[in-house]
Amino acid sequence: MADHKRRHCRYQRQQIHELQLAQRQLKRQFNELKYQRLGERVRSIEIEQHRIADANFNLSRQIASLDKLHSSMLELLEDVEDVQNKVDKNMPELRHEISKLEFSNAQLLSEQNIVREEGKNVARSVQALAVSISTLQEERDSVRRMQSSVSELRMKMDRLQNMLDDVQRALIYKHRGSIDKRDNKKYHNNRTVSAQNAETLVAKLENVEQEFESIIKKLPIDCSEVSHSSQPNDDGLFLIAPNGQPHHPMLVHCSDDGWTSIQRRYDGSADFNRSWEDYANGFGSPAGEFWIGNEQLHQLTLNNCTRLRVLMQDIYDNVWLAEYNQFYISSRLDGYRLHIDGYSGNASDALDYQQGMQFSAIDVDRDISQTHCAANYEGGWWFSHCQHANLNGRYNLGLTWFDAARNEWIAVKSSQMMIKRQPSAMCNYITAHTSATTTTLPLSTTTWPSSSAIAVEAMSTSTEIPVLTIVSNNIPSQKSSRSEKDNNSLHTQQV
């Protein structure tokens, strides 16, 4: 039993020892586990502290950036307020400039449309010119054929003259008694042949003359008789044959409503400082700048039943119109004297100052001034003391028209003078109310019927831009004479 107890005790002590060992091992493992978890937690806490510190640093930086941004926003707000104040102050000027730009844009668009229309007009004029040129070529061929026929007729006439000389010699011999009866019979035969040849030549000459006259008679007298059936509502160049010049047809520019252009200025390409004879015959091209000629004007206005229309455009692109219900140019012997009456329009009756004056040029001074007006203004015109209107002067210097309503000179940039025969009823009216002696006297101041609606339309296109004011307020009346000192003063102010 004792052994059994000892073994039992030893076994118990062994179990206790093993339990103690297991307890120590468990304690050791517990402590290790405890220390390991605490380290990890410490490390995680340290990591979290570092993260929080970094976040705090970044947050402080962001707060500093936000402070800077806030100050920048305040400065920007102040700048925006300053800009707003400046914009509010400059807004009227900006609106004014914008309105100017819009107006300039509208002007450019209108000028572009005008240029397009002018291009179309030029194309139509070129087309009409081509047709006229073809007609002229055909007429030139006819003239050449006529010339060849005339040369043949001249040769035949020479032969006929030789035959007539022979006849004269035969007559002389006959009177001298040196020709016998046989020669006398031969002489009579030659005389009969010569007479027949002469009749043939005369018949051919008459035929050529009739053909030429038939061609000329087919031409219109002026643009009011031009047919626009081939090109309706179109301007162009046409051949006309005025009554006083049946054998001298001329090429003129005609409008679609029957107006004949007699003068045009727009770019200064033609020289208008010419002699009196050049102005009598005309110069330039009807498709460009030109003067139709005083002799042609006399023939076209010979019936004393012609209207005159003057269209002008100033340097501000304002359109001005002066229309006269009666316009007549006298003959060469009378110095191509000007007669006008029945004014209407918006450009003032400036031509009345030149009423009844003869035409002057650089080599012929027929004005009533003490100076040579045509030489001073470098162009031919109906000068008096010297002018209130002159559309033939030096371009960019002498194209002027005096507006008596505003007491100002119109600085003309382009001009066109046109004439048109009055309707039959108006011609009868003029004939009934005009004296028969209007060749050298000014026309009577008759009350004429109202002008066409075109005048009103032309006046309505004038803009409200003010015209250049370059003269003094002491402008004399249109019918009063003025001294040379005043005239020279006006000339200086105009320049």
Side-chain angles (χ1 to χ4, degrees):
M1 287 295 290
D3 291 334
H4 180 71
K5 289 181 178 179
R6 282 194 297 273
R7 285 195 298 273
H8 182 69
C9 288
R10 193 169 45 248
Y11 178 72
Q12 287 180 347
R13 284 193 296 271
Q14 186 178 359
Q15 290 290 327
I16 292 169
H17 179 71
E18 290 179 356
L19 289 172
Q20 288 177 350
L21 290 174
Q23 185 180 4
R24 289 191 191 99
Q25 187 176 1
L26 287 173
K27 286 182 178 180
R28 187 170 57 251
Q29 290 176 355
F30 177 75
N31 290 331
E32 290 177 357
L33 182 61
K34 182 178 179 182
Y35 292 147
Q36 184 178 1
R37 287 181 178 177
L38 287 175
E40 289 178 355
R41 289 186 66 182
V42 168
R43 283 193 297 272
S44 64
I45 290 171
E46 289 176 352
I47 292 170
E48 187 68 20
Q49 286 179 349
H50 287 297
R51 189 182 65 78
I52 292 172
D54 293 336
N56 290 330
F57 179 74
N58 292 330
L59 184 61
S60 62
R61 289 179 62 184
Q62 290 178 0
I63 291 172
S65 299
L66 288 174
D67 292 335
K68 292 182 180 179
L69 181 62
H70 181 66
S71 61
S72 299
M73 289 294 292
L74 292 176
E75 293 177 356
L76 182 60
L77 182 61
E78 292 178 355
D79 294 336
V80 168
E81 291 177 352
D82 293 337
V83 171
Q84 183 66 31
N85 293 329
K86 291 181 180 178
V87 168
D88 293 337
K89 291 180 180 179
N90 296 327
M91 184 59 69
E93 295 181 358
L94 290 174
R95 289 176 179 173
H96 184 64
E97 294 294 331
I98 290 172
S99 62
K100 282 185 177 180
L101 291 175
E102 291 177 351
F103 181 73
S104 300
N105 187 25
Q107 280 188 333
L108 289 175
L109 291 175
S110 63
E111 290 178 357
Q112 184 180 5
N113 294 328
I114 291 172
V115 169
R116 288 179 180 174
E117 291 296 330
E118 289 180 352
K120 293 179 181 178
N121 292 333
V122 169
R124 290 193 291 265
S125 299
V126 169
Q127 185 178 2
L129 183 61
V131 175
S132 301
I133 288 174
S134 62
T135 305
L136 287 174
Q137 288 178 349
E138 294 176 357
E139 294 179 356
R140 184 186 63 182
D141 295 336
S142 301
V143 170
R144 287 181 178 176
R145 289 193 296 270
M146 292 178 186
Q147 288 177 350
S148 61
S149 300
V150 168
S151 60
E152 292 178 359
L153 292 175
R154 285 180 179 175
M155 294 174 62
K156 294 181 179 180
M157 288 293 293
D158 292 336
R159 289 196 296 268
L160 182 59
Q161 185 66 35
N162 294 329
M163 294 179 182
L164 291 175
D165 293 338
D166 294 337
V167 170
Q168 290 178 355
R169 286 194 296 271
L171 289 173
I172 292 171
Y173 291 150
K174 178 181 179 182
H175 288 294
R176 291 180 180 179
S178 59
I179 301 176
D180 55 5
K181 293 181 179 180
R182 184 177 58 187
D183 293 335
N184 192 20
K185 183 177 181 181
K186 183 178 180 181
Y187 157 73
H188 284 295
N189 292 333
N190 291 334
R191 183 177 179 182
T192 303
V193 173
S194 299
Q196 292 176 354
N197 291 333
E199 292 177 356
T200 304
L201 292 175
V202 169
K204 289 183 178 180
L205 284 173
E206 291 177 351
N207 187 21
V208 171
E209 185 177 1
Q210 290 175 358
E211 289 180 0
F212 183 74
E213 289 180 353
S214 65
I215 294 174
I216 298 300
K217 287 180 180 179
K218 292 179 182 178
L219 296 177
I221 297 176
D222 55 19
C223 289
S224 61
E225 295 184 357
V226 172
S227 174
H228 293 271
S229 59
S230 60
Q231 296 177 350
N233 299 325
D234 193 10
D235 299 348
L237 300 177
F238 298 89
L239 277 174
I240 64 172
N243 287 327
Q245 295 179 327
H247 300 292
H248 297 281
M250 68 178 71
L251 186 66
V252 296
H253 181 273
C254 298
S255 65
D256 56 354
D257 53 351
W259 288 89
T260 305
S261 295
I262 63 174
Q263 187 262 15
R264 186 186 292 112
R265 302 290 299 276
Y266 59 90
D267 60 358
S269 58
D271 181 17
F272 273 67
N273 191 19
R274 294 175 177 262
S275 65
W276 199 84
E277 192 65 29
D278 288 340
Y279 272 98
N281 297 325
F283 53 85
S285 171
E289 290 197 340
F290 81 108
W291 178 257
I292 194 171
N294 292 332
E295 184 61 33
Q296 286 79 4
L297 271 179
H298 169 65
Q299 299 297 337
L300 289 170
T301 62
L302 192 60
N303 59 353
N304 200 16
C305 186
T306 304
R307 295 163 59 189
L308 171 66
R309 175 179 292 174
V310 182
L311 285 175
M312 296 169 288
Q313 187 178 21
D314 62 19
I315 59 176
Y316 303 104
D317 294 332
N318 296 323
V319 178
W320 302 90
L321 170 70
E323 189 165 320
Y324 296 88
N325 276 329
Q326 194 168 4
F327 173 68
Y328 167 64
I329 301 300
S330 63
S331 64
R332 181 187 183 95
L333 295 177
D334 195 31
Y336 300 118
R337 194 182 302 273
L338 172 67
H339 301 282
I340 47 108
D341 197 13
Y343 165 78
S344 63
N346 65 337
S348 184
D349 188 8
L351 275 182
D352 183 67
Y353 192 72
Q354 277 85 244
Q355 173 71 282
M357 296 307 302
Q358 293 182 334
F359 198 88
S360 298
I362 188 174
D363 58 340
V364 177
D365 185 11
R366 296 191 176 184
D367 56 57
I368 57 176
S369 172
Q370 295 179 2
T371 185
H372 194 342
C373 301
N376 291 340
Y377 292 98
E378 300 185 18
W381 195 251
W382 298 279
F383 292 106
S384 57
H385 282 293
C386 281
Q387 65 181 29
H388 269 192
N390 179 16
L391 302 179
N392 287 346
R394 181 181 176 184
Y395 193 75
N396 290 334
L397 178 63
L399 273 66
T400 55
W401 192 281
F402 183 68
D403 185 6
R406 298 178 302 121
N407 204 26
E408 295 175 357
W409 289 96
I410 299 174
V412 180
K413 180 176 69 174
S414 62
S415 67
Q416 185 177 9
M417 298 174 65
M418 300 176 288
I419 60 174
K420 183 180 181 181
R421 274 194 300 165
Q422 296 274 16
S424 300
M426 181 62 71
C427 289
N428 296 332
Y429 181 85
I430 294 173
T431 303
H433 290 79
T434 305
S435 175
T437 59
T438 57
T439 304
T440 58
L441 295 178
L443 297 175
S444 60
T445 57
T446 308
T447 302
W448 302 100
S450 60
S451 302
S452 62
I454 302 174
V456 178
E457 181 181 357
M459 286 187 287
S460 63
T461 59
S462 177
T463 60
E464 296 298 329
I465 303 175
V467 182
L468 180 64
T469 57
I470 50 178
V471 296
S472 65
N473 292 327
N474 297 323
I475 299 296
S477 62
Q478 292 180 340
K479 294 186 179 181
S480 64
S481 300
R482 66 170 181 258
S483 63
E484 278 310 304
K485 183 178 180 180
D486 295 334
N487 181 70
N488 294 333
S489 175
L490 282 175
H491 175 63
T492 305
Q493 292 160 355
Q494 178 190 350
V495 174

